[in-house]
Amino acid sequence: MLSHISFGEGHKSLAILVPTKDFDKESIRTHYVLPLVAKGIKEEEIIAFNLGHNDKGKAPVTTIIKPWIENLEKVLLTLNIKHVLSASGDYFKTICKERKADPHYGYQKQTIWPGMVGYLTVNYKALMFNPAMQKKIDLSLAATAQGILGGPGLFSKKALEECYLPETLS
């Protein structure tokens, strides 16, 4: 069953997608929402949705993910969401039509929904096992904030064209 957590009243521009087993308002707020607010995103623009998984914690594409995103799509389009941050690599791959998830941290990717951009982040629960994953979360949140605020993506062509290197290394 699709559930949501709203972080204030008003127009929503960002949906954070988190597996159901980890769908906790305070944890989502601590690990994703507050860092985005610190980067200039308004808290009331953010809404979170849960992502379905089977009893074993898996999300097969044909039986779980595709039906789930069909239901999610209706809600996202109704809310006029423009940015989706996924804390599940399996859902990200389906939503953004990618074969692998790992190379896409920090990148803006087109989604299967016209006019909507997707981003990949690490599930905050991974920090319990590997605190170094915080770097991937930070990278993803920076890319998401830049995308929402209208700047170039962290690794976009425009950002790389405007890069200046020193002429000497002395």
Side-chain angles (χ1 to χ4, degrees), residues 21-22 27 31-32 122-130 137:
K21 62 184 172 47
D22 304 321
S27 296
H31 294 285
Y32 305 122
V122 173
N123 186 332
Y124 69 87
K125 285 279 184 155
L127 296 174
M128 293 173 47
F129 307 104
N130 184 358
I137 293 176

Side-chain angles (χ1 to χ4, degrees), residues 59-76:
V61 174
T62 55
T63 57
I64 301 285
I65 294 178
K66 285 190 177 182
W68 199 272
I69 64 173
E70 285 176 16
N71 291 330
L72 183 61
E73 175 183 24
K74 296 171 192 167
V75 177
L76 296 177

Side-chain angles (χ1 to χ4, degrees), residues 75-97:
V75 177
L76 296 177
L77 294 176
T78 300
L79 293 173
N80 199 27
I81 299 289
K82 298 294 181 197
H83 304 271
V84 178
L85 176 64
S86 176
S88 165
D90 292 332
Y91 275 86
F92 173 82
K93 289 187 293 187
T94 303
I95 291 169
C96 294
K97 291 186 176 181

Side-chain angles (χ1 to χ4, degrees), residues 17-21 23 49-53 68 72 86-88 91:
L17 311 179
V18 179
T20 299
K21 62 184 172 47
F23 198 62
F49 291 97
N50 67 324
L51 297 174
H53 289 77
W68 199 272
L72 183 61
S86 176
S88 165
Y91 275 86

